[in-house]
DNA sequence: GATTAATATGCAACAAATTGCATATGGAGT
DNA sequence: ACTCCATATGCAATTTGTTGCATATTAATC
């Protein structure tokens, strides 16, 4: 759907290789977009065929060659078109909540330990995001201005994870009884 | 992946037709699972072929016939197996955040009005979920006990939407300037 | 009388995402 | 020497999800 546009947004900021994009999806922007490397490379090929992006091969000593992709004017046009268009709200499909909804049908300990496991993951994510926030807050106010929109998405991540963990407290309360 | 198991969970509570399931996905459990009718009917066919569910046709005066699906013993076994197995945390792909991340590239008013639009949708969702909560809280404590797990998923929805709206306040602050 | 909404189900084509496999190099650790 | 990890890219098959189309009835609205 809009992996295409997620990539265009990234490339509009600065050129990236497929591997770079993968790292971004795994690290900084992973809170709001995720994709596997196979999907990224395939999409890059499609975007290149559509002439929305272009690349230059970068020969690296040691490591394999990198293809550095940059957005073209046509790509910028397409991005602008998409940015102006309304997007649908997020479709939520949360398997953990499916499990909890059906918790009557399973041993309670299994569900409880599953929640424990997820709490740990979410706590780690939150810590990571808070560290990113700290880094942002230590920037000069001029630099902060440059990153205000990415920072806003980071805030979404932080508020989202905090809310998740508050919910998890309610959940563990229920499963303790 | 687990539309299959979402359906099994629902059918384990009580028999449903495909149309019933669709309504559930659109209404009560829509906060954590969504599917289109075509996908549901196809999955029901697959589950029936796998003998995880069985159905009885119900002749209705006026309306077309209904196929009422119920879970089989094999289905229950499969559900239990899945419930015991760890599930991956949610993959998040949020197009609105992609837009905001790339907000530098678009007219600020377009992004701002898009956020306004989403606020309205999330506010409506929250109101709907709060109404469901009110209904739950008016039940006798005995009935509440029966619905404690579905209620926990409802709490997730409420806390999630509240957090989203708090974030949106930060967002509108930023876009006002 | 004609249209629209709600109920009820489904096929077919297409798009998107996942899983499995495959290749290649260099550096670090055992 | 051997293995593992990070870097770097990609094809093919399968599964999952979306979009378009199709059908049939009743009740309500215009």
């Amino acid at each position: 759907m809009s992996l295409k546009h997620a990539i265009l947004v990234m490339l509009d900021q600065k050129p990236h290789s497929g591997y770079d994009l993968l790292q971004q999806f795994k690290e900084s922007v992973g809170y709001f977009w995720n994709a596997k490397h196979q999907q990224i490379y395939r999409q890059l090929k499609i975007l290149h065929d559509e002439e929305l992006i272009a690349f230059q091969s970068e020969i690296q000593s040691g490591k394999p060659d990198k293809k550095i992709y940059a957005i073209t004017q046509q790509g910028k046009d397409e991005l602008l078109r998409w940015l102006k268009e309304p997007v649908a709200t997020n479709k939520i499909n949360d398997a953990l909540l499916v499990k909890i909804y059906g918790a009557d049908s399973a041993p309670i300990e299994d569900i409880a330990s599953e929640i424990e496991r997820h709490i740990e993951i979410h706590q780690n994510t939150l810590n990571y995001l808070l560290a990113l926030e700290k880094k942002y807050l230590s920037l000069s106010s001029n630099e902060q201005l440059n990153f205000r929109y990415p920072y806003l998405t980071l805030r979404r991540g932080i508020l989202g994870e905090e809310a998740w963990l508050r919910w998890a407290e309610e959940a563990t309360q229920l499963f303790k009884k």
Side-chain angles (χ1 to χ4, degrees), chain A:
Chain A
M1 180 105 309
S2 45
L3 167 61
K4 176 175 175 171
H5 300 104
I7 291 175
L8 288 177
V9 164
M10 308 282 197
L11 295 184
D12 196 41
Q13 316 256 312
K14 67 169 192 179
H16 286 287
S17 70
Y19 196 80
D20 287 344
L21 290 169
L22 178 68
Q23 298 312 311
Q24 295 255 302
F25 286 142
K26 278 205 281 197
E27 291 157 27
S28 64
V29 307
Y31 177 72
F32 62 85
W33 205 269
N34 288 278
K36 308 258 159 112
H37 78 270
Q38 294 95 330
Q39 214 185 327
I40 293 168
Y41 288 119
R42 187 176 34 180
Q43 194 59 54
L44 285 171
K45 192 175 182 294
I46 293 168
L47 287 167
H48 184 255
D49 288 348
E50 292 174 348
E51 292 177 46
L52 302 179
I53 60 175
F55 71 88
Q56 269 187 286
S57 285
E58 192 178 276
I59 296 144
Q60 301 190 115
S61 65
K63 294 165 200 168
D65 290 3
K66 251 188 188 182
K67 286 186 186 172
I68 309 290
Y69 288 93
I71 194 164
T72 62
Q73 188 53 51
Q74 272 170 273
K76 285 185 186 193
D77 294 347
E78 166 56 23
L79 179 56
L80 188 61
R81 193 199 57 72
W82 179 76
L83 283 169
K84 283 176 161 180
E85 201 186 62
V87 277
T89 47
N90 248 18
K91 187 183 156 174
I92 295 166
N93 283 38
D94 188 328
L96 180 63
L97 290 177
V98 172
K99 275 201 175 187
I100 288 169
Y101 192 88
D104 279 322
S105 315
I108 208 75
E109 319 86 60
D110 289 351
I111 308 287
S113 70
E114 178 80 331
I115 291 175
E116 288 294 316
R117 204 171 62 78
H118 281 253
I119 286 173
E120 218 182 297
I121 295 167
H122 283 278
Q123 188 62 63
N124 286 338
T125 305
L126 177 59
N127 291 341
Y128 181 74
L129 296 178
L130 287 173
L132 286 180
E133 184 177 44
K134 210 172 168 183
K135 214 186 274 179
Y136 171 83
L137 292 173
S138 72
L139 296 174
S140 72
S141 49
N142 215 355
E143 283 176 306
Q144 284 192 2
L145 202 64
N146 286 331
F147 292 111
R148 67 202 146 151
Y149 298 128
Y151 177 59
L152 188 55
T153 66
L154 178 61
R155 287 293 301 161
R156 174 71 195 110
I158 290 167
L159 292 174
E161 290 300 333
E162 284 175 347
W164 195 95
L165 288 164
R166 272 200 303 283
W167 169 78
E169 278 174 43
E170 292 186 18
T172 40
Q173 278 291 314
L174 190 64
F175 283 100
K176 254 179 205 160
K177 285 171 196 168

